[in-house]
Each structure stands twice: as C-alpha cells, then as structure tokens.
Amino acid sequence: ERQLRGDPLFEHLAVLNAARKSGQQASKEHRNFIKDRLEVATSGRDDEFEELLKERLVAFDEICGMPVLLSVLVCLLKGWWGKADELPKDKYELYQMGIWAKVAQDLKSSDSKYTIRGKSKDEARKQIGLAVEMLRLIGTANHLAKRRTFQLPDVHKALAGRADLEDVWAVLLAAGEVPLIRIVTLGEASGGEFQFCHLSFQEFLFVSTMCADCKTPHDFFAKEDELNAKLNDPFYRNAITIGSGHIGEALSKQRPDWSLDRYPRLSALGVDGLRHLLAGSVWLQSLDLSNVELDGPAMGRLVEALSL
C-alpha cells in the first residue's frame, strides 16, 4: 500500500471508501475525480455513476484487504493499461487489467525486438497482446496439469502450432525478462525450470480461457459428470473465486442446463465453488440441486449469487 500512496486515483478511492464505510458523505472533489473516469461508462448519468461507484468501492475495499491483490493494483496503477484510469469492478477485471499493465511495463523497459518503446499505440497493443496470449496458453496448460512449476518442454507443448508465440518466449527468455515469469533454474538438461511470479496470475490466465466466448465448453467443463469433482477440488478453488461473475456467464451460455445431482456429491467446498459459478450465470435455464446438502445459510448464498 505504501507504493500507492501519492497516486491520485488511489488516494481519491481511499477517501471515498472510508466515507462509504463510515456512512459519511465525501466531498465533491473526490467524487468528481472518479466521475470523470467513469463518465464514458455512465454517459454522465448520476444514478448510473452512483451504482458503478459503489461497485468499484466494494471491489477496492476487498483489494486493500489482501496483499496479493494490492500488488496487482500496483501493477495496474503504476503500469500502462491503455484505458486511462479504468477501474476494475471485481478481481477478474483487476487481474485482467493488472496483467496487461505489467506486461506493458516490462516490454517498455525491454531491449529485445518486442520492446514497445517508440512504438505507436496500435503496434504496442499488438506486441502486448502477443505476450499476454503466450502467457495465457502457458498458464492454462500449467493449471490444467496442476503444476506450480514447469519446464521448457511444457512451454513448447502449450505453444504448439503458434510459431509467433514460440518466438516471443524464446526472445524474452534469452533476454532473461519474460513478464510474470520467475526463472527458477536455467541451463539444466531440461532447458530450465519456471513458475509464475504468483500462483494467482496462473489461476487468472486459466480462468480467462474458461471464460472465452466459445459455442462449446472448454474441456475442463466439457463433461457434465465431472463438474462436481472439479468444484470439490481445492486446487481450483481460488481460480473459480477469481472468475466469479464471469466464468458462470460463459458456462451458462455454452450449457444452459446444469445438474449437480451426480457423484461425487458436492462437498462444502464444492457448494462454495458453485456459488461463484452461479454469479453471472445469466443464460442458466435450469439447475438441479437434488441430493445436494444445503443448510439455510448456504442456500441463501446460492440464491444471492443467482441475483448478481
């Protein structure tokens, strides 16, 4: 948080959030500062602004309570996003914007051919987009395999058929500056060992693949009989949480009828995962919860999630 002190956007949000939590009214100066940045999304309407402001402040409060989320916010505010001062409404958008900003920041300081220094905005976006797509494919493959660390053959397999992305990896690795990637070892027989700087980056990249606008579900969700097991698996817990409000929208559009009346039965962890899956599931037409153990509070949380 100390790194963000003095940043105008952070300071205004902090004041507005403190006022919201204390039930007080913040000055117009703080509200107008944020309103200017949300004006495009709200068309200048006060009622829309108030709704968006509340949504952003709730997200901001959660971000400030978790060190890893604060570090992503640092990436967003100190980096280059390309949409001036856009505010994330949830963790998914925070990671989406923060990763883009961090990659842009790293490529700006790069001395490789993928540097964005001196490039037009369109050229820079293309370079950043290539690097983010490379990371998405690696992160998705890694998470599906339940790996924290990975080796060079894993990278080649994840990027198979994408010579352009293989080149991005090779050039940035040779320069020792692959964004978001920690080089654990290099020069061994395996070609090296790597990991994402924080597991949550890998988790977001995996979830962003699950949220892709495809007609059929990703292989991870393709077999309905395996949904309960995926929700029960603690390895995917945080990834599903990051995707709350997004992953359910994609899955419900691809498959509008869900049945949880299957084996294995949903555990308490699985029920909590279902809550995040239901958030944003606007295309859902039917939900079978037969034989799912739900007490009153758990049912209430699921109902609340359906209204989000």
Side-chain angles (χ1 to χ4, degrees):
E1 190 170 338
R2 288 194 301 271
Q3 296 183 58
L4 294 171
R5 292 299 175 188
D7 182 275
L9 182 56
F10 180 84
E11 295 287 359
H12 284 288
L13 285 171
V15 171
L16 288 168
N17 190 48
R20 177 186 69 86
K21 294 173 71 175
S22 65
Q24 298 177 346
Q25 184 75 17
S27 73
K28 287 186 177 181
E29 174 195 355
H30 301 295
R31 300 178 74 81
N32 288 340
F33 185 92
I34 302 300
K35 189 173 183 178
D36 288 343
R37 281 143 186 80
L38 294 176
E39 191 169 8
V40 174
T42 63
S43 303
R45 288 177 50 184
D46 288 341
D47 57 338
E48 290 185 9
F49 166 69
E50 292 299 330
E51 186 64 29
L52 287 180
L53 177 62
K54 179 181 177 181
E55 190 176 50
R56 266 59 176 183
L57 290 178
V58 169
F60 178 78
D61 192 55
E62 182 179 10
I63 290 167
C64 290
M66 298 182 67
V68 64
L69 297 184
L70 265 177
S71 69
V72 179
L73 185 63
V74 170
C75 294
L76 172 58
L77 296 183
K78 300 298 183 182
W80 181 84
W81 162 233
K83 291 185 176 180
D85 299 315
E86 185 167 323
L87 305 176
K89 68 178 181 182
D90 53 28
K91 285 189 284 189
Y92 182 92
E93 288 194 357
L94 173 69
Y95 277 95
Q96 184 181 51
M97 297 176 189
I99 284 176
W100 184 278
K102 175 59 175 170
V103 170
Q105 189 178 47
D106 287 353
L107 292 185
K108 189 173 183 179
S109 62
S110 173
D111 291 324
S112 75
K113 69 178 182 179
Y114 288 104
T115 184
I116 61 173
R117 284 197 312 273
K119 300 288 179 65
S120 68
K121 183 171 288 189
D122 287 343
E123 289 176 317
R125 283 182 177 277
K126 182 178 179 180
Q127 301 280 66
I128 299 165
L130 280 174
V132 171
E133 177 66 2
M134 174 197 71
L135 293 168
R136 184 187 68 81
L137 292 177
I138 294 172
T140 299
N142 216 37
H143 215 63
L144 285 171
K146 294 187 176 181
R147 290 189 298 256
R148 180 69 179 95
T149 60
F150 55 98
Q151 298 179 334
L152 203 54
D154 300 318
V155 173
H156 294 319
K157 186 176 180 179
L159 303 181
R162 291 295 306 268
D164 55 341
L165 301 185
E166 285 259 24
D167 187 66
V168 174
W169 171 268
V171 169
L172 295 180
L173 179 61
E177 51 187 25
V178 185
L180 304 185
I181 299 295
R182 178 180 293 117
I183 301 174
V184 181
T185 60
L186 197 58
E188 303 294 332
S190 64
E193 189 173 50
F194 316 92
Q195 63 180 207
F196 281 86
C197 296
H198 196 278
L199 181 58
S200 63
F201 290 136
Q202 176 176 300
E203 289 168 330
F204 166 77
L205 293 163
F206 160 76
V207 168
S208 69
T209 297
M210 300 303 105
C211 293
D213 188 17
C214 301
K215 292 183 179 180
T216 57
H218 186 274
D219 288 347
F220 182 76
F221 284 127
K223 296 180 181 179
E224 192 171 12
D225 288 344
E226 297 180 1
L227 180 57
N228 285 18
K230 299 291 175 59
L231 292 174
N232 287 344
D233 194 332
F235 184 80
Y236 295 111
R237 179 179 187 175
N238 195 53
I240 292 173
T241 301
I242 290 173
S244 184
H246 297 266
I247 195 169
E249 179 180 2
L251 182 58
S252 66
K253 189 173 185 178
Q254 297 157 350
R255 190 168 64 223
D257 302 296
W258 299 355
S259 174
L260 286 302
D261 184 17
R262 301 174 184 277
Y263 288 99
R265 297 302 186 193
L266 276 188
S267 63
L269 177 63
V271 170
D272 190 58
L274 176 61
R275 173 172 65 91
H276 293 296
L277 210 59
L278 288 174
S281 56
V282 294
W283 304 97
L284 189 63
Q285 295 181 8
S286 67
L287 177 66
D288 185 354
L289 296 177
S290 303
N291 295 308
V292 177
E293 290 188 16
L294 295 170
D295 57 20
M299 178 61 81
R301 288 192 289 271
L302 293 184
V303 171
E304 182 182 5
L306 279 168
S307 67
L308 296 177

